Amino acid sequence: MISNASSSPESNSTAHDCDVLIVGGGPAGLSLSIALAQAGFSSIVLDQQPASALADPAGDGREIALTHPSVQMLSRLGSWQLLAAHERGRIREAHVHDGPVEKRAGMHLDALGSGLEHLGSIVPNAALRRTAFAVAKGCERVRILDEAKVLQVTTSRHDASVEFRRGEQPAQTLRAPLVVAADSRFSATRRQLGVGAQMTDFGRTVIVCRMRHEQPHLDIAHECFGYERTLAVLPLPDDPQSGQHLCSAVVTAGTAEANALMALSPEEFTASVQSQFDGRLGQMTLHGERHAYPLVAVYADRFAGHRFALLGDAAVGMHPVTAHGFNLGLASVARLTEALVRARDARQDIGSSATLQRYAPAHHRHAWPIFQGTNAVVRLFTDARPLPRLLRRIVLGGANRFPPVKAAIVQQLTGKLPRLSPPSPGVPHPHLPSQ
């Protein structure tokens, strides 16, 4: 049993197994355990997967775009340093296209004026999971329980408890001053804690895969809104074995069309993507498997209560179009850790409602505008009616010509407010062909 020195004197600390119980061993939950350990807290992470899957996760096709503040945080946690060179890609520019890619590039974003060379980074989701597990496993104050099926999560005046079973062993119960739900956007822990969530089912499916291509991508990400189907092309480092150029293709379509795309042969699917991207990267070939995921955005009714907090996708599960999901998860790690440190330093109960109110409202103020803005973008750019199409052109054209709008987006990605320098009339963007 791990004694707890962080809870208030009146709590029954001798019955506590650690400071914080974390349900969910994904990158958000594991990152929290590392951050807590660095701050002097002990934690136990429960995950239903076996240790082998946590240590070496299978590729799932997802590539995670990271802002500069997120990279800085991963560096502080120690997981960024464990990534291989070919797992650390960068996004120098982002181009947003309204309609077919060959007709119009509606908005261009770059890091010019911010003092940085690129907008952000891109890392495979499996690599983020692997490195987070490796660091957490090496932390003295972190205990990871694999193959742990959580049966019940409850809270009381003095503690939170998690009942679980591992394999054929009898059910066991752990207690701590605080429990954190970090078990996905469809969190069973959130439901057991009595917290509802606003769920937006877009009725669409996202297909993700890697593709080889002839022409270099120049570290430019493209988002191509094709009304019925959206295509994102994300730059990846070259294949470390063959040296061939690689990108991530993200196709979003109605569920019926997505099923049809998944049923295509690799050659037919590749031809479809290459055609929608107007052959800009030359000949393309599928590299690996395609993966399909239903698109459901989630926003919890509360992020915290007495003895519990929600983290990562359990709090906010984003639509991937604006690439804010894991970045918000890391932001919630930082805010929750800070709130617990402040409570401990003031000799206050780390699981009390008062303590957790330092976390929940701040994270809500940060996440809510991004969540609503992302959903609004999705609705606007997937509506093929004439009026929304006209509005899209106005929005993209206005953003491209109004420097403060682009500066606000760049600041969100880089953590720095760029110096505004509107382009001179008639001078093309330095990295783009004249339209």
Side-chain angles (χ1 to χ4, degrees):
M1 180 175 294
I2 302 172
S3 62
N4 171 42
S6 303
S7 57
S8 63
E10 69 264 18
S11 67
N12 188 15
S13 62
T14 58
H16 291 157
D17 298 282
C18 62
D19 294 322
V20 182
L21 293 167
I22 302 171
V23 180
L30 290 170
S31 294
L32 176 65
S33 73
I34 300 165
L36 292 175
Q38 292 177 346
F41 294 100
S42 61
S43 65
I44 298 176
V45 182
L46 299 97
D47 195 275
Q48 60 185 355
Q49 296 185 88
S52 58
L54 294 171
D56 188 19
D60 60 9
R62 290 179 289 183
E63 311 288 339
I64 307 301
L66 299 171
T67 63
H68 284 269
S70 292
V71 170
Q72 291 164 7
M73 182 167 185
L74 290 176
S75 296
R76 290 194 298 271
L77 297 177
S79 53
W80 180 258
Q81 294 86 326
L82 297 183
L83 293 167
H86 68 272
E87 294 173 327
R88 301 188 212 174
R90 70 174 193 170
I91 299 174
R92 182 168 54 84
E93 298 178 21
H95 298 177
V96 181
H97 306 268
D98 178 27
V101 68
E102 71 272 20
K103 288 187 178 180
R104 186 184 304 105
M107 182 169 64
H108 313 139
L109 294 172
D110 57 46
L112 295 178
S114 69
L116 300 171
E117 295 182 353
H118 56 288
L119 285 170
S121 300
I122 187 163
V123 175
N125 183 57
L128 290 173
R129 300 176 72 92
R130 185 194 77 239
T131 53
F133 178 79
V135 176
K137 186 180 179 182
C139 290
E140 183 179 352
R141 294 177 180 270
V142 178
R143 180 184 173 197
I144 301 174
L145 297 179
D146 67 319
E147 297 186 79
K149 179 177 176 57
V150 173
L151 305 175
Q152 189 173 17
V153 180
T154 57
T155 60
S156 66
R157 177 184 174 188
H158 293 304
D159 54 34
S161 62
V162 175
E163 183 184 2
F164 69 99
R165 177 180 290 114
R166 300 180 76 190
E168 301 301 319
Q169 300 177 13
Q172 304 173 61
T173 300
L174 295 171
R175 291 182 173 81
L178 175 65
V179 64
V180 175
D183 53 340
S184 87
R185 66 187 62 201
F186 304 111
S187 171
T189 305
R190 181 182 64 217
R191 178 177 291 276
Q192 290 194 37
L193 290 167
V195 179
Q198 170 190 327
M199 293 196 178
T200 305
D201 188 338
F202 293 97
R204 300 172 74 79
T205 297
V206 60
I207 301 171
V208 292
C209 62
R210 287 187 162 202
M211 306 195 91
R212 297 190 182 100
H213 48 89
E214 289 182 317
Q215 302 300 321
H217 49 55
L218 304 178
D219 294 332
I220 298 174
H222 295 266
E223 189 79 45
C224 312
F225 290 100
Y227 311 132
E228 298 301 329
R229 183 196 304 179
T230 297
L231 170 67
V233 175
L234 308 176
L236 300 177
D238 291 344
D239 189 313
Q241 296 178 336
S242 67
Q244 290 182 296
H245 303 309
L246 287 178
C247 71
S248 171
V250 185
V251 179
T252 305
T255 300
E257 183 185 4
N259 290 337
L261 288 169
M262 288 293 289
L264 294 176
S265 69
E267 295 76 17
E268 291 171 325
F269 178 82
T270 298
S272 175
V273 171
Q274 186 173 312
S275 174
Q276 186 174 355
F277 200 53
D278 193 34
R280 285 198 174 194
L281 294 178
Q283 189 69 31
M284 304 178 80
T285 56
L286 188 64
H287 180 53
E289 299 296 321
R290 287 166 281 179
H291 303 262
Y293 302 95
L295 283 183
V296 179
V298 176
Y299 201 95
D301 295 343
R302 293 182 291 157
F303 291 169
H306 187 64
R307 302 285 170 211
F308 75 86
L310 308 184
L311 187 87
D313 281 359
V316 184
M318 295 284 292
H319 189 293
V321 69
T322 54
H324 278 294
F326 187 51
N327 296 295
L328 278 178
L330 287 175
S332 64
V333 168
R335 287 193 179 91
L336 182 56
T337 302
E338 180 183 5
L340 301 189
V341 168
R342 287 180 59 187
R344 180 193 59 195
D345 292 349
R347 299 188 62 80
Q348 296 171 345
D349 185 350
I350 65 169
S352 70
S353 296
T355 291
L356 297 171
Q357 281 306 301
R358 297 169 183 158
Y359 158 69
H363 191 50
H364 170 73
R365 287 192 297 270
H366 177 72
W368 182 249
I370 296 174
F371 181 81
Q372 292 294 354
T374 296
N375 289 354
V377 166
V378 172
R379 293 187 181 98
L380 178 64
F381 282 88
T382 56
D383 193 329
R385 293 176 299 174
L387 183 58
R389 292 172 75 162
L390 175 62
L391 183 57
R392 277 194 293 273
R393 296 174 188 173
I394 295 172
V395 168
L396 285 179
N400 210 37
R401 293 175 176 80
F402 189 53
V405 174
K406 295 177 70 172
I409 299 172
V410 171
Q411 183 182 26
Q412 182 71 29
L413 297 172
T414 64
K416 297 178 180 291
L417 184 63
R419 296 184 299 275
L420 300 180
S421 53
S424 302
V427 177
H429 190 283
H431 301 299
L432 289 172
S434 300
Q435 297 295 317

